[in-house]
Amino acid sequence: MSRVPYVSGERTENESELIVRIRARRGGTLLNLDRMLLNSPAFAQGWNAHLGAVRRELALDSRLRELAVCAVAVLNGADYELEQHAPEFLRAGGTAAQVEALAQFGELAEDSVVFDAVERAVLQLTLEMTRDVKVSDATFERIQWALNDTQQIVELVGVIATYNMVSRFLVALQVDTEKD
C-alpha cells in the first residue's frame, strides 16, 4: 500500500494539459507512478519531460538501456520498476534467460554465458554506480571499450542515474505495482 494517496486516474473532460501529455507518452493510460507524481504537478511535468527523452530520444541502444534499468531495479529492490521494464528489455532484444539471470544480479558472479562482453560492462557500471556511486577506472575503461562512443557513454551514465532516482522514489513511497 502506498504511503501517500494517488491522484485519481479517471478520465475527465477537463483534464489538465499535463495529464494529457502524460497519457500521450503512456499510450492513453496513467500508471500508479504517474498518479503518485501528480501530487506535485511541477515535479510530474519535469519527470514526464525527462523520462520521455530518456525513453525516446537517446542514441544509446534500447537493449542496453533496458538492461541497465532492470539491473538498477534489482539492486534497489524496486519491483515496480522491474515489472515495467523487463517486458521492455525483452522487446528490445533481451532474452528470458537474461531476465532470469538479472533476478540474481548483485548476488552472483557475472554470467558470461548469458551476457556478452558489452552487456557485462554495462552491468558492472550499473553495479558500481548504484552501490558505490563511484566508478573504478577499470570499469570506466571497460565501458569506453564496450561502447566506444562518448555520447552513448554519457547517455548510459545518465540512464543509470535516472533510474536510480526512479527506483528510490518508487521504493520510498511504496508505489504499488499495477496489479496491486
Side-chain angles (χ1 to χ4, degrees):
M1 183 97 171
S2 69
R3 289 182 162 160
V4 174
Y6 299 106
V7 170
S8 172
E10 294 181 25
R11 278 193 181 271
T12 65
E13 276 188 44
N14 299 319
E15 281 187 335
S16 72
E17 183 61 32
L18 173 59
I19 293 174
V20 169
R21 285 193 308 272
I22 293 170
R23 282 189 192 283
R25 183 170 75 84
R26 296 280 193 206
T29 189
L30 290 179
L31 300 178
N32 286 342
L33 170 59
D34 303 318
R35 294 174 45 237
M36 181 62 70
L37 285 162
L38 284 166
N39 281 293
S40 171
F43 206 74
Q45 180 176 346
W47 188 291
N48 190 54
H50 177 69
L51 273 289
V54 168
R55 295 291 298 280
R56 293 186 313 266
E57 298 175 23
L58 303 183
L60 180 66
D61 180 90
S62 60
R63 181 180 50 83
L64 297 179
R65 179 193 68 224
E66 294 302 327
L67 175 63
V69 172
C70 289
V72 166
V74 170
L75 291 170
N76 289 335
D79 296 338
Y80 184 103
E81 189 171 51
L82 186 60
E83 180 181 297
Q84 293 295 316
H85 287 273
E88 294 294 326
F89 176 61
L90 292 171
R91 279 190 283 279
T95 68
Q98 289 175 320
V99 171
E100 189 174 310
L102 280 169
Q104 302 299 314
F105 181 59
E107 297 174 20
L108 302 175
E110 294 178 10
D111 187 336
S112 60
V113 175
V114 176
F115 297 106
D116 67 25
V118 172
E119 293 163 338
R120 289 191 309 273
V122 168
L123 289 170
Q124 185 62 38
L125 179 67
T126 304
L127 180 70
E128 290 183 24
M129 283 185 64
T130 302
R131 287 214 172 136
D132 304 325
V133 182
K134 294 181 181 180
V135 175
S136 71
D137 289 340
T139 295
F140 198 77
E141 289 169 9
R142 194 171 165 193
I143 207 68
Q144 286 177 305
W145 165 84
L147 297 180
N148 195 28
D149 180 287
T150 302
Q151 180 178 348
Q152 289 189 43
I153 293 167
V154 168
E155 289 177 356
L156 178 60
V157 168
V159 164
I160 296 166
T162 295
Y163 279 92
N164 267 289
M165 172 193 72
V166 173
S167 64
R168 285 162 169 76
F169 183 89
L170 292 165
V171 172
L173 292 173
Q174 297 178 355
V175 175
D176 302 298
T177 59
E178 298 309 313
K179 60 186 172 198
D180 289 349

